[in-house]
């Protein structure tokens, strides 16, 4: 198993393997939405999970999400951990607690089953850390390895976060540094330092559980997690859905330092350019921002942090308590949904 190079078996990895947002929306926008009086949030709002109201009197809402992707690391156990953390993140981003998960596996017949075991053990470790349980799953034979989870969680009525609801005067907080997509590209090219690789792995395997638990008592108006569509892509969805504009301070946004170096070398994933194309005309940059910093803002993240929009008073308190930086503010709807200064 030591000789297995999972990343050599895939063309794209992690959340960078997502369909380009422009293509995805072209299809989804042409499909009629299904409706139910108990479906509180469906996929028409681009939320991280669907929200379904349980029987009257329970006071609970069910959250459900599914997420899987090809490996972005060679170690099978770490791959399982990253994929599980990424899937669990959608529940935290909606203000809920994960409870039950199902494995989703695509596995090549050419690989030893010990590799599959390590992937599943890695995923199980993160599900256990979250407090949820794995209750089954589904596997198929596929030449490209893929792993993820379908996760069910719960939240109290009127306590669910969505990607709409940001209010002028809110502050924006980001709970993980950006740049893992670029670092993973550099790793695949054999040009990343061991330190950069370790930073990316630590970020991707860290659950958003602590960030959620510290925010659940705060005045959160909207939230999402930052994954394949980049900080700018997910911020754009939130600002547009909330009918407001975001001002992002590029110098306050946490970035893995080596990602700027690798971006300057052109080690950018394909998904970065897809995100840039999709957001063309929707982002205003101050001209003196370096190109490599712009690249990182479009970088597809895997198991990224939470982007929280909360009242200024609670945002300042949350940032002080956790160390997570305030990266911007919410203003009345302006000419562009996003202004980066």
């Amino acid at each position: 198993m030591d000789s297995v190079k999972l990343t050599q078996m895939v063309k794209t990895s992690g959340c960078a393997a997502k369909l380009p947002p422009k293509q995805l929306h072209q299809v989804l926008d042409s499909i009629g939405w299904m409706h139910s009086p108990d479906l509180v949030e469906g996929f028409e709002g681009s939320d991280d999970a669907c929200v379904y109201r349980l029987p009257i009197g329970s006071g609970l809402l069910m959250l459900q999400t599914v997420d899987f992707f090809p490996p972005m690391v060679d170690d099978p156990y770490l791959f399982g951990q990253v994929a599980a953390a990424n899937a669990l993140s959608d529940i935290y981003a909606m203000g809920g607690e994960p409870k039950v998960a199902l494995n989703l596996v695509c596995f090549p017949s050419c690989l030893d089953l010990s590799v599959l075991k390590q992937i599943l053990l890695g995923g199980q470790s993160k599900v256990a850390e979250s407090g949820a349980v794995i209750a089954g799953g589904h596997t198929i034979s596929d030449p490209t390895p893929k792993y993820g989870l379908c996760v069910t969680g719960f939240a109290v009525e009127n306590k669910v976060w969505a990607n709409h609801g940001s209010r002028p005067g809110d502050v924006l907080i980001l709970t993980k540094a950006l740049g893992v997509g670029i670092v993973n590209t550099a790793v695949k090219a054999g040009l990343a330092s061991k330190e950069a690789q370790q930073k990316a792995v630590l970020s991707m395997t860290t659950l958003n559980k602590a960030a959620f638990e510290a925010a659940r008592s705060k005045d959160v108006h909207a939230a999402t997690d930052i994954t394949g569509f980049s900080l700018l892509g997910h911020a754009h969805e939130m600002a547009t859905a909330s009918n407001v504009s975001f001002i992002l301070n590029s110098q306050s946004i946490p970035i893995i330092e080596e990602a700027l170096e690798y971006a300057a070398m052109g080690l950018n994933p394909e998904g970065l350019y897809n995100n840039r194309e999709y957001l063309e005309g929707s982002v205003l940059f101050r001209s003196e921002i370096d190109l490599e910093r712009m690249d990182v803002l479009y970088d597809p993240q895997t198991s990224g942090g939470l982007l929280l929009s909360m009242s200024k008073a609670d945002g300042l308190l949350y940032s002080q308590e956790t160390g997570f930086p305030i990266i911007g503010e919410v203003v009345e709807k302006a000419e562009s949904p996003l202004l980066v200064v």
Side-chain angles (χ1 to χ4, degrees):
M1 191 173 67
D2 293 339
S3 61
V4 172
K5 297 291 184 183
L6 291 178
T7 58
Q8 299 305 311
M9 304 180 71
V10 302
K11 180 182 178 182
T12 55
S13 59
C15 288
K18 284 186 174 183
L19 279 175
K22 185 175 183 179
Q23 294 180 15
L24 180 61
H25 281 283
Q26 182 179 346
V27 175
L28 293 181
D29 293 345
S30 68
I31 298 175
W33 312 120
M34 298 184 71
H35 298 282
S36 165
D38 293 318
L39 185 62
V40 180
E41 298 287 349
F43 67 90
E44 64 271 20
S46 299
D47 267 304
D48 297 295
C50 74
V51 181
Y52 192 85
R53 184 175 290 107
L54 295 178
I56 294 175
S58 69
L60 290 178
L61 298 175
M62 180 182 73
L63 313 177
Q64 198 163 52
T65 186
V66 60
D67 214 318
F68 67 101
F69 46 54
M72 73 307 297
V73 292
D74 287 321
D75 184 281
Y77 188 85
L78 283 178
F79 171 43
Q81 287 191 312
V82 173
N86 183 75
L88 292 161
S89 179
D90 286 341
I91 302 298
Y92 295 129
M94 297 292 290
E97 295 182 86
K99 293 298 182 181
V100 183
L102 299 173
N103 284 319
L104 296 170
V105 182
C106 298
F107 193 73
S109 58
C110 63
L111 287 182
D112 191 274
L113 289 178
S114 62
V115 176
L116 175 58
K117 179 179 179 179
Q118 289 302 308
I119 292 172
L120 295 178
L121 284 173
Q124 182 174 290
S125 73
K126 286 296 162 179
V127 172
E129 184 181 335
S130 77
V133 296
I134 294 177
H138 184 67
T139 60
I140 63 170
S141 179
D142 190 317
T144 303
K146 306 176 189 73
Y147 174 66
L149 300 172
C150 177
V151 187
T152 300
F154 298 93
V156 178
E157 184 91 39
N158 300 320
K159 294 293 185 179
V160 170
W161 303 337
N163 70 350
H164 57 83
S166 289
R167 306 173 187 177
D170 280 0
V171 294
L172 299 167
I173 296 173
L174 183 62
T175 67
K176 286 187 185 182
L178 303 178
V180 298
I182 293 171
V183 172
N184 287 337
T185 301
V187 170
K188 195 169 182 179
L191 296 173
S193 68
K194 183 178 180 179
E195 292 76 14
Q197 188 173 2
Q198 289 173 338
K199 290 177 186 177
V201 168
L202 177 60
S203 174
M204 293 187 293
T205 56
T206 298
L207 294 181
N208 280 319
K209 180 179 181 179
F212 152 72
E213 290 178 341
R216 65 192 308 180
S217 62
K218 302 295 189 294
D219 189 20
V220 177
H221 298 148
T224 191
D225 63 342
I226 308 305
T227 56
F229 296 154
S230 74
L231 171 64
L232 293 182
H234 291 288
H236 177 265
E237 287 181 342
M238 187 187 290
T240 301
S242 303
N243 200 34
V244 295
S245 291
F246 289 176
I247 299 176
L248 301 176
N249 185 335
S250 63
Q251 298 302 315
S252 298
I253 295 171
I255 294 174
I256 296 173
E257 183 179 358
E258 292 87 345
L260 294 170
E261 175 188 347
Y262 302 149
M265 296 166 60
L267 296 171
N268 294 328
E270 181 181 354
L272 185 153
Y273 300 104
N274 292 332
N275 291 336
R276 188 194 300 274
E277 179 185 4
Y278 177 67
L279 293 169
E280 186 176 3
S282 297
V283 185
L284 291 178
F285 283 97
R286 194 175 62 185
S287 59
E288 58 266 31
I289 295 175
D290 295 335
L291 178 59
E292 55 266 28
R293 191 170 294 272
M294 290 187 190
D295 286 341
V296 173
L297 302 186
Y298 287 111
D299 183 36
Q301 303 302 284
T302 297
S303 188
L306 301 181
L307 178 64
L308 302 168
S309 177
M310 63 176 71
S311 65
K312 186 174 182 178
D314 272 11
L316 290 169
L317 182 62
Y318 180 78
S319 180
Q320 183 180 24
E321 290 174 348
T322 62
F324 300 135
I326 294 173
I327 66 165
E329 61 180 316
V330 182
V331 297
E332 297 284 351
K333 186 176 181 180
E335 177 183 357
S336 174
L338 300 179
L339 173 64
V340 183
V341 298

